[in-house]
């Protein structure tokens, strides 16, 4: 892993697609239960392997942390139960959950990198005096490839995944939007993705 530690936020535990994706990311990064957080399930049941989100639960996060947020999305914001939450609302959640810094906030939801949501969120994070190195989100409809942790962003990327048995993918310029935040952060392992000036 390029980042020292990872954490996962499940924003819609009532949706089986979101559940499945969260468990795929949890497995990929071997994230311990105490770093996997979820909103409450409508039934009140406990989500196996996930801890309820509470005020201050992200206070451990620092500039070596990759925060993975799994939800549905639109170009305008996060979608939970068909209600859209914009960058101002999402930054408020992060503040309430105790986030002070994160190296990367990775959104695993459709189209959150298609328009200005990530740049707006980077601005709101700075306004709220939190710090983030990078934000990333998919430009297109996203899904897990064949139930694995390989993610697909858009139809062209899906065709490349299928043709290469999951080993190939489209370049970042097609698949994702990467926005630089208000902190200078480079992961410990060399990667060109977070060394380029990619402010959008």
């Amino acid at each position: 892993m390029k980042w020292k530690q990872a954490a996962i936020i499940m924003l819609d535990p009532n949706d089986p697609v979101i559940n499945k994706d969260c468990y795929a990311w949890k497995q990929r990064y071997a994230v311990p239960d105490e770093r996997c957080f979820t909103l409450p399930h409508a039934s009140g049941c406990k989500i196996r392997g996930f801890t309820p989100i509470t005020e201050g639960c992200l206070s451990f996060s620092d500039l070596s942390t990759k925060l993975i947020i799994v939800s549905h999305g639109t170009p305008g914001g996060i979608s939970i139960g068909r209600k859209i939450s914009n960058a101002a609302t999402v930054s408020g959640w992060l503040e309430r959950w105790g986030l002070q810094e994160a190296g990367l906030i990775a959104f695993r939801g459709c189209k959150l990198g298609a328009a200005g949501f990530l740049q707006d969120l980077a601005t709101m994070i700075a306004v709220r005096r939190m710090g983030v190195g990078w934000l990333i989100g998919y430009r297109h409809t996203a899904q897990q490839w064949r139930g694995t942790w390989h993610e697909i962003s858009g139809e062209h990327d899906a065709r490349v995944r299928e043709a290469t048995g999951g080993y190939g993918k489209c370049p970042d310029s097609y698949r994702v939007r990467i926005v630089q935040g208000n902190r200078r952060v480079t992961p410990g392992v060399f990667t060109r993705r977070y060394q380029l000036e990619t402010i959008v």
Side-chain angles (χ1 to χ4, degrees), residues 28-58:
R28 177 175 183 173
Y29 294 117
V31 184
D33 293 359
E34 64 270 16
R35 294 288 187 258
C36 296
F37 303 97
T38 181
L39 289 177
H41 193 278
S43 69
C45 69
K46 182 173 169 40
I47 307 297
R48 180 182 51 84
F50 282 77
T51 302
I53 291 174
T54 58
E55 283 193 23
C57 65
L58 296 180

Side-chain angles (χ1 to χ4, degrees), residues 43-113:
S43 69
C45 69
K46 182 173 169 40
I47 307 297
R48 180 182 51 84
F50 282 77
T51 302
I53 291 174
T54 58
E55 283 193 23
C57 65
L58 296 180
S59 60
F60 66 88
S61 182
D62 59 25
L63 293 177
S64 68
T65 303
K66 176 177 184 171
L67 179 59
I68 302 165
I69 299 179
V70 186
S71 70
H72 289 296
T74 70
I78 287 174
S79 175
I80 302 174
R82 299 185 186 269
K83 180 183 176 186
I84 307 302
S85 297
N86 64 17
T89 299
V90 174
S91 67
W93 296 345
L94 295 172
E95 183 178 48
R96 191 165 51 254
W97 299 338
L99 185 74
Q100 294 181 346
E101 291 183 320
L104 171 67
I105 301 178
F107 288 94
R108 303 306 186 190
C110 296
K111 301 181 180 179
L112 288 167

